[in-house]
Amino acid sequence: MPGANLVILGATGDLTQRLLMPALYRLYRLGYARGLRITGYSIEGWSRERFRNHIHKALRAFAPDYQAAQARRFAAGLDYISGGLDAKQMAPLAQRIQGSALFYLALPPPLFGTAAVALGEAGLAKTARGWRRLVVEKPFGTDLASAEALRKQIHSQWAEDNVLRIDHFLGKETTQNLMVFRFANRFLEPLWNSAHVSQVQINCPEMLGVEHRAAYYDHAGALRDMLQNHLMQLFCLTAMEPPASWDAEVLRDHKVEVLRAVVPFTARNVRRYTARGQYVAGRIGRKRVPAYRREPGIPANSHTETFAALRFEVNNWRWRGVPFYLRSGKRMASNRWGIAVEFKQVPDVLPGAQTIANNWMVFRLKPQESLNLVATAKVPGAKLEAHNVVLTAPYARDPDKEFSAYEQLLMDALEGDRSHFLRFDEVEWAWRLLDPVLRAWRHGEPEPYASGSEGPASQNRLLAPGHRWRPVKVSAGDLP
Ligand code: BG6
């Protein structure tokens, strides 16, 4: 990327200081950002010096590998331009940015369209020398109609190939490993279908509450914040057909194909296949925490869901009859994230077989990334008895090799690798599936659940006979 520019719009905001700058600083430290010119752009009338100091402080607070002298050198290389989101105000930016450039919209979602159009009108979307790309954060729209309107706005100035819709889950190591593990192991593919798999659970519970994000979150809710994008991407990667090549378009075609195979929700089946909840007061560890409706900035009568669960049925040859359960919620009992695939029961010929769990393959994303296979083996001793054993492969921990999601995705964006970014039709099909749920959820209320718990009881009505949600909270000795 020598000689390229990275322009962050919304450079004085939270995303920039918490995630983008620490990621760029690490890339700089590792020598991956040599020659990259970084310019902050924001409405704040700050001087370049003030911006540099602000970023230096942010690195001290948020960069895990902060080192004072290096951070100062990194900050000293940053540029800053103050201005608003129209072509006229962007003229100084257009003068300063020459050659290849990546524009990152680290802005509140309602401003994405305006910013993309302003960049285009200021002449920044095209250049005769080099490339121009636009990174758009999530959420891309709030439903199908608004996503389509945003697409039109952006496409009025930017070609689809130059628009990189980010979903930071696609930059996570385990997400990328899911694809490698699925498609690079001979033994897995023959088993990865409805003949052998009985269910798939994608669980992403969080102990955090709404934090300082009331204004955004109360309009979004768990379905839009986590399921529509992150969990549905994990679903796509788990369920898609093996691609013939690692080409961005082929990968994205396969993801869209599986989304199109999901049996649509209807006004009638929403109650059966979805559940929603909202946290009330409770305990997270030893700490007492307030109800969602008592959080600062949240209306006392808010109907926003902080927990959402969905059951997908996939109508294709590979998956027909295998439920995919997707679930995420704030203020739950743990942060144990995983994609868990259960294999069907074997004939119980062994003594004690009834008490043994089926085989599970668990891709754990949090608290530590790892790969786990629950298998059955003999209990050592004179008797013929079986029990579960767990084969675990922890993910490597070499701090200079493992990349955070933002580090990975920023590198990909600068290098023009689109495979880990969303094409518009992926977003579109995700909304197509969820629009009927959003419509149904305009009525009624989410079920209350205590903070620190497993979530609302109504989540159990989604389950097929014989299935149970994997516990959010586990004790020592429990299966992974
Ligand atoms: C974000 C959501 O996209 O992902 C948050 O807006 C959520 O609500 C976060 O907490 C979780 O991702 P991670 O990997 O950064 O913990």
Side-chain angles (χ1 to χ4, degrees), residues 47-252:
S47 68
R48 188 184 294 153
E49 228 25 63
R50 178 159 176 200
F51 179 65
R52 289 174 175 171
N53 286 336
H54 167 76
I55 296 302
H56 186 202
K57 268 197 217 137
L59 294 178
R60 195 182 302 138
F62 301 114
D65 49 355
Y66 172 80
Q67 208 257 351
Q70 227 169 15
R72 207 164 298 120
R73 272 200 301 280
F74 169 79
L78 301 174
D79 201 355
Y80 181 76
I81 299 178
S82 142
L85 297 180
D86 65 58
K88 209 163 134 219
Q89 294 190 60
M90 281 183 179
L93 186 65
Q95 262 169 6
R96 192 91 51 96
I97 302 301
Q98 303 294 324
S100 301
L102 180 70
F103 297 90
Y104 198 117
L105 305 186
L107 295 163
L111 300 178
F112 292 164
T114 314
V117 170
L119 285 167
E121 288 176 351
L124 283 156
K126 292 194 180 79
T127 174
R129 288 177 297 113
W131 45 262
R132 293 287 163 99
R133 297 181 195 125
L134 181 74
V135 178
V136 187
E137 266 288 336
K138 65 143 249 237
F140 197 86
T142 53
D143 57 14
L144 181 59
S146 57
E148 176 54 25
L150 180 56
R151 180 196 70 74
K152 275 203 188 125
Q153 236 183 332
I154 294 179
H155 281 175
S156 71
Q157 300 292 336
W158 295 84
E160 173 65 23
D161 279 359
N162 296 332
V163 180
L164 302 171
R165 295 177 193 83
I166 205 164
D167 181 320
H168 78 280
F169 272 43
L170 293 185
K172 285 180 187 282
E173 287 283 1
T174 295
T175 314
Q176 301 198 347
N177 184 34
L178 175 63
M179 288 205 276
V180 173
F181 196 78
R182 261 200 72 190
F183 302 131
N185 285 301
R186 182 99 226 171
F187 66 86
L188 211 58
E189 177 55 22
L191 303 179
W192 209 252
N193 55 53
S194 62
H196 297 283
V197 172
S198 57
Q199 60 164 319
V200 179
Q201 293 197 16
I202 302 176
N203 280 301
C204 297
E206 297 185 279
M207 291 162 93
L208 281 181
V210 63
E211 307 301 299
H212 52 281
R213 301 162 75 214
Y216 153 75
Y217 194 87
D218 199 55
H219 285 107
L223 193 69
R224 290 189 177 95
D225 184 49
M226 292 290 284
L227 284 273
Q228 190 270 346
N229 32 68
H230 305 326
L231 276 76
M232 282 177 84
Q233 281 295 317
L234 297 179
F235 159 75
C236 288
L237 299 177
T238 311
M240 73 194 229
E241 290 301 310
S245 78
W246 217 254
D247 174 85
E249 293 317 311
V250 176
L251 290 171
R252 301 189 299 180

